[in-house]
Amino acid sequence: MNITHLAPVALSLAIATPAAAQLGPGPCEGALACIANDALEGDSIAWDFVEGITTEVGPRQAGTEAEQRGRDWATAWLRDRGFANVADEPFRMDTWVHGGPATARVTAPFEQNLEIVPLGNSASTGEDGIEAEVVYFPSYADLAAAPDGALRGKIAFISHDMRPTQDGSGYGFAGPARWTGAGLAASKGAIATVIRSVGTENERTPHTGGTSFPDGVEATPAGALSNPDADNLERMFARAGDRPITMRLMMTPRLLGETTSGNVVGEIVGSDPSLPPVLLACHLDSWWNAPGAFDDGAGCGIAAAAALNVAKAGQPLRTIRVLFAGAEEVGLFGSSAYSEAHIDEPIGVGIESDFGADRIWRIDTNFTQSNPELYRELALAVARFGVAPSREEATGGADLNIVRDQEGALVDLQQDGTRYFGLHHTNNDTLDKIDPAQLRQNVAVWTQVVGILANTREDYKTGE
């Protein structure tokens, strides 16, 4: 963060924040602040949620029976803890599943197996697999520069150099290899694509995630190699010389057709129904290969815990609505369905937690300039938890489509993403990776912010 761009009040907060973080939250004034302080030391609600859903349900692939069990579990959990108007709002979607185990084997000149997982929307190789020469592209840009037809009958291998960052900015750099790499390679004639996983760790844990194919381009098999295996494949190319490298792939994903997913919602009802609600979002689904503790069971636990903590301070003015969105991982279907179904119901402000469970370090809004008094109140309130102010504009998480569609107010409570891309979409996204102390800091910050927003009568974006 470049503090030279901050307004004077924000600058003073930025300087004060590290000392405040070292000293802890300190004395509290008012019920909300005291409840937030208590959450920092002893909140168990968020942990209860993520521990429960990962233990009792496990992986929750969108559109499958496992996701339905997750929604049933979440609706019961919300009702048991006193949320009102709890519902599972179904929608239909085209559903892809991963099939059986996937394998990749270099068959010449250095014969050995590689760790791979299929990417969402990948086609099947068939149970007999396919074998072809591999063409190496050090980056997505190198693939884009390849002539049309250059990959006819070949397997494309796309690499990149993603590094861990606090703000997750490396994802924007490396993501295209997964998001559109297979479609681009197929448009140039490739019969399959393998990519270096879009992740930052050095374990043999490949990262899945969705890929896409442009209109008019038939889907082809596509998978992600673990980072150590991608390193190995690059070394093979370095020493193979003129010898072609060939690979045998076998993956058997399939389309189930249209199935049902859904969004789970619940409310802490406010005292003034004329005021648009505060929307707290996360997503309930995960990929098939892990129980989704970091991505995004923790986020749903944080949102629910904050709502319940605010209620402890007394009935808020505004209703607080939690949205556990379905089918986020496979294309934001839940976010889109929720917006379509509720677009005529104004939302006051939206916040989402979907970047793991590590400490919140910065607060962004899209009303920092238009409503500086409210932003100042929020920033001052969370400085004691080690959260810095910012002049960055909040854009909202993936499951806040309805707020963006309504051009409403957004708050981004930015989590430390240094560890996130070492875990997300891998089989290592498990409960033991969550640090309970950092999870509690999230709940404390969310409690404070949501409590202020839910008890603000004025429009959040005053002045626009």
Side-chain angles (χ1 to χ4, degrees), residues 312-383:
K312 290 179 187 176
Q315 185 179 23
L317 277 175
R318 295 175 185 260
T319 291
I320 302 170
R321 182 178 302 157
V322 295
L323 166 62
F324 296 171
E328 186 269 353
E329 296 289 11
V330 296
L332 311 187
F333 292 110
S335 184
S336 297
Y338 187 81
S339 183
E340 183 177 354
H342 298 277
I343 192 63
D344 294 330
E345 305 167 19
I347 300 295
V349 61
I351 319 175
E352 178 161 34
S353 182
D354 183 18
F355 199 39
D358 286 349
R359 294 181 62 87
I360 294 169
W361 63 282
R362 196 179 81 195
I363 178 170
D364 304 340
T365 77
N366 66 349
F367 51 81
T368 306
Q369 301 301 318
S370 59
N371 194 344
E373 293 81 9
L374 178 57
Y375 180 79
R376 174 186 171 86
E377 181 181 2
L378 294 170
L380 283 168
V382 297

Side-chain angles (χ1 to χ4, degrees), residues 133-309:
E133 181 181 348
V134 182
V135 181
Y136 169 42
F137 297 98
S139 70
Y140 184 91
D142 293 313
L143 172 62
D148 290 344
L151 295 176
R152 190 165 291 113
K154 306 290 180 61
I155 297 171
F157 166 45
I158 312 168
S159 194
H160 56 79
D161 187 23
M162 185 178 180
R163 303 293 178 91
T165 57
Q166 186 178 42
D167 65 359
S169 55
Y171 195 44
F173 162 75
R178 194 195 82 214
W179 303 330
T180 59
L184 180 59
S187 73
K188 296 175 183 288
I191 62 170
T193 300
V194 295
I195 69 166
R196 174 187 287 274
S197 281
V198 178
T200 56
E201 91 303 336
N202 290 312
E203 306 295 329
R204 291 191 83 184
T205 51
H207 299 239
T208 191
T211 194
S212 61
F213 296 87
D215 291 343
V217 175
E218 185 175 353
T220 55
L225 298 171
S226 75
N227 279 322
D229 286 295
D231 290 339
N232 193 17
L233 187 54
E234 289 184 358
R235 291 194 299 270
M236 292 180 192
F237 275 98
R239 71 175 56 189
D242 294 334
R243 292 173 293 176
I245 291 178
T246 57
M247 180 182 291
R248 183 171 188 81
L249 289 175
M250 195 280 289
M251 53 185 72
T252 56
R254 64 189 189 277
L255 295 172
L256 300 183
E258 211 175 62
T259 69
T260 299
S261 181
N263 296 316
V264 173
V265 295
E267 293 182 336
I268 301 296
V269 177
S271 62
D272 189 343
S274 71
L275 295 174
V278 178
L279 182 65
L280 312 183
C282 61
H283 69 85
L284 199 60
D285 63 308
S286 74
W287 289 100
W288 78 90
N289 56 339
F294 237 55
D295 184 19
D296 182 32
C300 292
I302 290 163
L308 290 171
N309 283 339

Side-chain angles (χ1 to χ4, degrees), residues 101-114:
T103 60
R105 182 172 181 80
V106 174
T107 52
F110 309 116
E111 188 172 346
Q112 57 188 283
N113 294 330
L114 309 176

Side-chain angles (χ1 to χ4, degrees), residues 390-407:
S390 164
R391 294 292 292 276
E392 297 294 325
E393 183 168 343
T395 56
D399 293 303
L400 292 173
N401 274 357
I402 188 169
V403 184
R404 285 185 291 271
D405 292 343
Q406 294 178 358
E407 299 183 350

